[in-house]
Amino acid sequence: MATWGRGVLIMASAKPSQMVCHECDLLIGVPLLEPGEKAFCPRCNFLLAANRRNAQDKIFAFAVAALLFLALANAFPFLGFSAQGQERTVTLLQCVAILITENFPSLAAIVFALIIAIPAIFLLGVIYFSSSLALSRRLPATEITLRWMLWLLPWSMAEIFLIGILVSFIKIVAMADVALGLSFWSYVFFSVCITVVVMHLDKRELWRGVRALPNE
Amino acid sequence: MSEQSAMALGLQGCPICTKVGPVECTSCEICGARLHAGWSNSIQRTWAWLITSVVLYLPANFLPIMYTRFLGKETENTILGGVVSLWTHGSYPIAIIIFVASVFVPLGKILVLGWLCLSIQLGSTFAVTQKTKLYRVTEFVGRWSMIDVFVVGILVALIQLGNVMSILPGMAALAFAAMVVTTMLAAIVFDPRLLWMSAEWDDLK
């Protein structure tokens, strides 16, 4: 395409340390960071890269912890509710199942995917590619797993679900008593752990690590 | 030229691995991810998802999102009705959160993406950097609109005391969830480099 002639010329001189700010599209050179360093966009202050200390270990540990908390969140009562002398306790999966019995199976599928299935797949994927990095061995499909997990990230909505629970409480609290079950706290910890995992994922460092793995 | 926009230089950053490469690449040379240029007919695809979103936006806002049954009496609740009742009960912060997440963000997202598509088709060169930034914001905030769907899910699961007090889901909940998904997809298939392309076309005239 002739219109892009100018771009192609500059492309030839694009340096490996260059990055593009995802927020404001500024092209900027970002040197490889030492552990503990962060790089912000000088124009819009967006976090461009962060090489956090012991990122690899923390990603692995918190991903495993998050997965365990998610399992626990499905094992105990999630929320309880009492009004007019009647009581009701539900589990996390019942929140999904009730939508099926109320004739909204597609809504149930969407909710189940966003709050349980996608976060679980994401965590399993994270554990898989961080095992690759920890073992310094290229496990099968490491790169595809990393790419898909980073792509999947916006569709994992644990933290949004937590805000949803908070809003629900405020709506109910005037007319009934709400009890928080063990599973609720597990889901909170799960949500915190998955956020810690996401915080420590530095795309550039991860790809550098994965590409440096020896071919077998 | 100390501050340069990547797209003005014909470059783009891979959203998956941050590798900088030429904008006409359809997939990233490092990680193989599909880049924005990888969507053929990006504008048509964005329009298709946007029109779907608008079609879903109407039932999402005008049909009841849930039914409240209290002592045998059933009332319908719409999204906007929920915001108003939170406001009148004095829960101002929550009313604002729900209004922003459920009404303002989806509508704003549809309008912004529609405007960006139109301005590309009209060959506008106005404020291209700001438009690119605006696009990134819509891409980022869209998922937070799901709050209301989760609220319905929780309330319906929890409040099931027969005729004494029950909450049932309404059609708007499904329409709304589908709309959030379609607006997220509209943002994914939109190709921001086209904003810069129409600017370049104008330079040639």
Side-chain angles (χ1 to χ4, degrees):
Chain A
M1 271 185 293
T3 44
W4 288 103
R6 190 148 60 98
V8 173
L9 273 178
I10 290 165
M11 183 271 300
S13 65
K15 295 172 203 75
S17 62
Q18 271 183 331
M19 291 182 89
V20 175
C21 173
H22 191 71
E23 282 297 297
C24 75
D25 205 46
L26 180 72
L27 180 70
I28 182 159
V30 182
L32 289 176
L33 303 176
E34 294 295 315
E37 282 183 340
K38 291 179 194 171
F40 295 93
C41 174
R43 186 157 73 184
C44 72
N45 224 21
F46 180 76
L47 182 63
L48 292 170
N51 188 354
R52 294 178 202 270
R53 287 194 180 83
N54 307 321
Q56 259 189 47
D57 297 345
K58 283 189 202 157
I59 288 168
F60 186 83
F62 278 94
V64 173
L67 212 52
L68 290 176
F69 279 123
L70 181 61
L72 291 177
N74 283 291
F76 302 103
F78 190 63
L79 295 171
F81 151 83
S82 59
Q84 321 277 330
Q86 281 184 280
E87 266 184 68
R88 183 179 162 82
T89 311
V90 289
T91 63
L92 185 56
L93 276 176
Q94 270 178 302
C95 293
V96 175
I98 195 97
L99 290 172
I100 300 176
T101 52
E102 296 290 344
N103 294 319
F104 281 91
S106 36
L107 188 61
I110 294 175
V111 171
F112 177 74
L114 297 178
I115 67 171
I116 300 175
I118 292 177
I121 295 169
F122 171 75
L123 290 169
L124 286 171
V126 168
I127 291 171
Y128 187 76
F129 71 68
S130 26
S131 307
S132 249
L133 290 170
L135 299 169
S136 297
R137 278 185 50 194
R138 193 184 293 270
L139 299 174
T142 301
E143 278 160 340
I144 292 174
T145 313
L146 176 56
R147 190 208 318 161
W148 283 8
M149 292 314 118
L150 292 175
W151 184 88
L152 208 54
L153 200 49
W155 300 93
S156 158
M157 301 196 182
E159 73 282 22
I160 301 175
F161 182 58
L162 272 188
I163 303 286
I165 298 175
L166 188 78
V167 172
S168 314
F169 285 173
I170 288 164
K171 286 194 168 191
I172 306 174
V173 86
M175 50 182 180
D177 290 326
V178 180
L180 305 175
L182 202 51
S183 275
F184 169 79
W185 295 109
S186 302
Y187 200 89
V188 171
F189 287 124
F190 151 72
S191 183
V192 170
C193 289
I194 202 169
T195 308
V196 174
V197 171
V198 173
M199 242 175 60
H200 283 79
L201 294 178
D202 183 86
K203 292 171 179 174
R204 193 170 61 160
E205 284 299 321
L206 285 174
W207 281 100
R208 239 164 49 88
V210 165
R211 280 167 61 81
L213 291 173
N215 274 315
E216 286 182 7
Chain B
M1 286 258 279
S2 60
E3 287 198 351
Q4 289 167 315
S5 177
M7 276 194 228
L9 302 171
L11 295 169
Q12 66 180 348
C14 172
I16 300 294
C17 71
T18 74
K19 164 80 183 159
V20 177
V23 278
E24 52 276 87
C25 280
T26 55
S27 63
C28 177
E29 60 174 293
I30 296 286
C31 69
R34 183 195 275 248
L35 301 175
H36 283 290
W39 298 99
S40 55
N41 305 323
S42 161
I43 299 288
Q44 284 89 334
R45 277 171 197 270
T46 311
W47 274 125
W49 286 120
L50 276 183
I51 292 166
T52 317
S53 314
V54 173
V55 169
L56 291 166
Y57 186 84
L58 298 174
N61 278 280
F62 294 108
L63 290 181
I65 194 162
M66 58 190 184
Y67 300 90
T68 314
R69 198 180 287 157
F70 188 65
L71 301 174
K73 204 180 78 180
E74 197 167 283
T75 45
E76 295 179 349
N77 307 91
T78 57
I79 290 177
L80 214 53
V83 174
V84 172
S85 98
L86 280 171
W87 186 268
T88 50
H89 284 90
S91 309
Y92 303 119
I94 300 295
I96 291 167
I97 290 176
I98 294 292
F99 179 78
V100 170
S102 302
V103 183
F104 180 75
V105 166
L107 191 63
K109 218 178 145 174
I110 291 171
L111 290 177
V112 164
L113 285 175
W115 175 54
L116 295 182
C117 283
L118 262 184
S119 76
I120 288 168
Q121 287 173 320
L122 298 174
S124 157
T125 55
F126 169 71
V128 193
T129 314
Q130 285 84 343
K131 280 185 197 160
T132 311
K133 205 167 170 179
L134 199 59
Y135 163 69
R136 293 302 178 190
V137 174
T138 63
E139 197 186 27
F140 172 75
V141 296
R143 51 202 289 276
W144 285 93
S145 299
M146 266 306 175
I147 292 179
D148 237 10
V149 175
F150 295 146
V151 170
V152 173
I154 294 159
L155 291 181
V156 168
L158 210 50
I159 307 186
Q160 289 293 336
L161 302 180
N163 275 334
V164 177
M165 193 195 286
S166 310
I167 290 184
L168 306 170
M171 208 50 212
L174 180 58
F176 190 83
M179 186 209 62
V180 176
V181 172
T182 53
T183 51
M184 282 176 76
L185 290 171
I188 288 173
V189 299
F190 180 78
D191 181 357
R193 84 202 165 108
L194 292 175
L195 289 167
W196 294 89
M197 230 173 193
S198 57
E200 297 244 322
W201 279 116
D202 210 60
D203 284 349
L204 287 181
K205 277 179 201 162

